């Protein structure tokens, strides 16, 4: 059940409604989202109780939803949510966003080189891990705080907004002013304290599907973020574990269609982790665009063979340029504008100014 309060509801009316709900034996949570206030419960009240709740002073509507997720559900909000991580970057059904960059930030030269290449090629944001979740404790774990500093430098150089994964809620302050989109990785999809923490952050969150999580579990994780007050969530399909051993993961494009049906949140696809092989990234990128994804998360490295993580699935900067050239006409065909970086716009306007002078 979602009980929505009217905009001018008073604190005492909320308190009275809460005790009425609890008197009916319904356990509920108070949620503040987008300047609106709700009481949300997993219980489905009877038609009789619904009528009673609707008539409480200060209540504007009562919606009964059978799904375990509520605020992220299309049943609750039929219209697509638009996410705006930066001034020129609007995620909607009319646009297509390509986030690109290395799996991990390795050093200054590497990240600046890749940032400039992907910005020139037409990426809308730079990705790069500073804190890396690695299966082996002996593998490169990322540069940590220094990695975040280098991402900041890359942002200044390239004008690209930054997407980077957070592993630990205690690091949240480090991300607060630096990172435009906070990524929650597949391994952290069910780290509930982390989901609650990013829910309190006034920043968009890119939530990746756990490698063994169902679509409904992904939606319930997203619900944690919205219930904590943050409506700016982007979901990301990145491949799941199946019996199929010919690729690192099985990219579940069914999930894109299912998610589009069940939620109003934007859906991205990560064909790099989804396939584990750079040669398959262009085909699966086209497929993701064709089946309704709103954007891609693609790993790009200036020298994949020497990458400290995920080199085998990283495109070269040249491959990435070709990928964008290949996808742009498909975007146009589907009525989606490919979002390009501020710098691209600046370069264009500089050129126009030079031409005028
Ligand atoms: C990543 O994006 O580099 C990453 C670690 O992804 P995932 O969490 O999907 O494995
Ligand atoms: Mn990676």
């Amino acid at each position: 059940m979602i009980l929505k309060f009217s905009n001018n509801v008073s604190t005492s009316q909320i308190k009275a409604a809460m005790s009425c709900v609890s008197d009916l034996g319904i356990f509920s949570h108070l949620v503040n989202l987008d300047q609106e206030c709700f009481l949300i419960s997993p219980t489905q009240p009877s038609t009789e109780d619904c009528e009673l709740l609707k008539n409480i002073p200060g209540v504007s509507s009562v919606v009964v939803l059978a799904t375990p997720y509520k605020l992220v559900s299309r049943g609750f909000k039929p219209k697509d949510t638009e996410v705006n991580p930066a001034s020129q970057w609007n995620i909607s059904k009319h646009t297509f966003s390509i986030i690109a960059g290395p799996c991990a930030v390795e050093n200054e030269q590497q990240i600046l080189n890749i940032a400039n290449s992907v910005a020139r090629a037409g990426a809308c944001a730079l990705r790069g891990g500073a804190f890396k979740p690695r299966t082996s404790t002996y593998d490169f774990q990322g540069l940590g705080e220094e990695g975040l500093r280098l991402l900041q430098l890359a942002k200044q150089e390239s004008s690209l907004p930054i997407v980077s994964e957070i592993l630990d809620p205690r690091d949240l302050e480090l991300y607060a002013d630096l990172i435009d989109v906070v990524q929650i990785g597949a391994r952290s999809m069910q780290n509930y304290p982390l989901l609650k923490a990013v829910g309190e952050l006034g920043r968009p969150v890119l939530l990746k599907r756990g490698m063994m999580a169902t679509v409904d579990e992904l939606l319930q994780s997203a619900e944690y973020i919205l219930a904590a007050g943050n409506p700016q969530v982007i979901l990301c399909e990145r491949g799941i574990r199946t019996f199929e051993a010919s690729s690192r993961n099985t990219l579940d494009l069914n999930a894109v269609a299912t998610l589009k049906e069940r939620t109003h949140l934007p859906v991205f696809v990560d064909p790099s982790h989804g396939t584990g092989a750079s040669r398959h990234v262009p085909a699966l990128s086209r497929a993701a665009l064709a089946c309704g994804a709103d954007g891609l998360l693609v790993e790009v490295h200036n020298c994949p063979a020497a990458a400290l993580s995920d080199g085998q699935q990283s495109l070269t900067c040249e491959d990435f340029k070709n990928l964008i050239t290949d996808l742009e006409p498909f975007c146009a065909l589907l009525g989606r504008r490919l979002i390009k970086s501020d710098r691209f716009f600046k370069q264009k306007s500089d050129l126009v100014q030079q031409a005028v002078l």
Side-chain angles (χ1 to χ4, degrees):
M1 170 199 77
I2 305 184
L3 181 151
K4 184 172 178 250
F5 290 104
S6 46
N7 290 344
N8 54 359
V9 67
S10 67
T11 316
S12 59
Q13 283 176 327
I14 293 178
K15 273 193 186 151
M18 285 175 83
S19 62
C20 179
V21 167
S22 117
D23 287 348
L24 291 172
I26 300 172
F27 173 74
S28 69
H29 294 261
L30 184 64
V31 169
N32 281 296
L33 183 69
D34 254 354
Q35 282 147 15
E36 289 184 318
C37 191
F38 305 92
L39 273 186
I40 304 191
S41 172
T43 309
Q44 296 181 57
S46 64
T47 325
E48 210 176 47
D49 286 352
C50 265
E51 279 312 305
L52 201 120
L53 294 171
K54 275 182 197 159
N55 291 318
I56 298 174
V59 172
S60 82
S61 63
V62 178
V63 180
V64 178
L65 289 171
T67 52
Y69 48 86
K70 310 287 179 193
L71 296 165
V72 304
S73 154
R74 262 221 202 269
F76 166 65
K77 183 184 171 219
K79 199 169 163 277
D80 284 340
T81 285
E82 294 192 7
V83 177
N84 299 286
S87 61
Q88 304 277 358
W89 185 12
N90 171 250
I91 300 168
S92 82
K93 62 178 175 195
H94 305 296
T95 63
F96 195 71
S97 308
I98 305 182
I99 304 167
C103 180
V105 180
E106 296 170 6
N107 56 60
E108 182 172 325
Q109 200 214 347
Q110 173 242 20
I111 195 66
L112 294 186
N113 181 316
I114 298 171
N116 285 317
S117 302
V118 298
R120 267 199 305 275
C124 68
L126 176 70
R127 61 147 291 152
F131 293 90
K132 293 301 303 175
R134 303 306 300 278
T135 304
S136 168
T137 189
Y138 305 114
D139 282 342
F140 177 58
Q141 305 284 313
L143 298 178
E145 253 188 273
E146 170 65 1
L148 292 178
R149 191 189 66 78
L150 294 178
L151 284 170
Q152 178 73 353
L153 201 63
K155 180 177 176 167
Q156 283 157 9
E157 284 271 323
S158 67
S159 302
L160 288 176
I162 303 294
V163 181
S164 196
E165 176 168 356
I166 186 163
L167 282 180
D168 189 326
R170 288 170 297 188
D171 293 331
L172 213 61
E173 263 183 34
L174 301 174
Y175 284 69
D177 298 321
L178 285 181
I179 304 301
D180 300 276
V181 176
V182 179
Q183 177 176 324
I184 304 279
R187 290 157 192 81
S188 302
M189 189 205 89
Q190 286 176 313
N191 180 340
Y192 301 113
L194 185 61
L195 297 176
K196 286 181 187 173
V198 296
E200 283 161 25
L201 191 76
R203 276 296 136 87
V205 176
L206 182 105
L207 176 64
K208 298 186 86 174
R209 178 180 179 185
M211 58 192 86
M212 286 173 288
T214 63
V215 165
D216 274 11
E217 284 162 348
L218 170 63
L219 289 171
Q220 288 182 80
S221 289
E223 184 84 13
Y224 267 87
I225 305 173
L226 272 81
N230 188 349
Q232 301 257 296
V233 176
I234 306 153
L235 303 171
C236 184
E237 161 59 37
R238 48 77 73 204
I240 51 173
R241 281 200 173 155
T242 67
F243 58 81
E244 180 52 69
S246 63
S247 52
R248 180 180 181 184
N249 289 295
T250 299
L251 188 64
D252 179 14
L253 292 180
N254 289 353
V256 177
T258 308
L259 285 167
K260 283 280 157 195
E261 201 170 64
R262 295 189 185 175
T263 181
H264 49 83
L265 296 173
V267 180
F268 277 39
V269 167
D270 172 350
S272 308
H273 291 85
T275 61
S278 57
R279 67 187 184 284
H280 294 316
V281 167
L284 274 300
S285 298
R286 280 194 297 271
L289 170 62
C291 74
D294 301 296
L296 299 174
L297 183 69
V298 182
E299 287 188 338
V300 178
H301 200 283
N302 54 338
C303 180
L308 296 181
S309 63
D310 287 348
Q312 72 293 345
Q313 64 192 36
S314 300
L315 298 179
T316 62
C317 297
E318 189 60 26
D319 289 341
F320 179 69
K321 198 169 144 226
N322 293 337
L323 175 72
I324 297 250
T325 311
D326 179 31
L327 290 180
E328 203 159 10
F330 286 108
C331 288
L333 205 66
L334 293 167
R336 286 181 179 266
R337 181 172 58 84
L338 189 65
I339 302 272
K340 300 205 171 164
S341 75
D342 280 3
R343 178 180 165 164
F344 178 87
F345 289 107
K346 276 192 205 124
Q347 274 179 344
K348 267 197 147 174
S349 63
D350 286 353
L351 284 176
V352 172
Q353 268 184 356
Q354 278 168 18
V356 171
L357 291 173

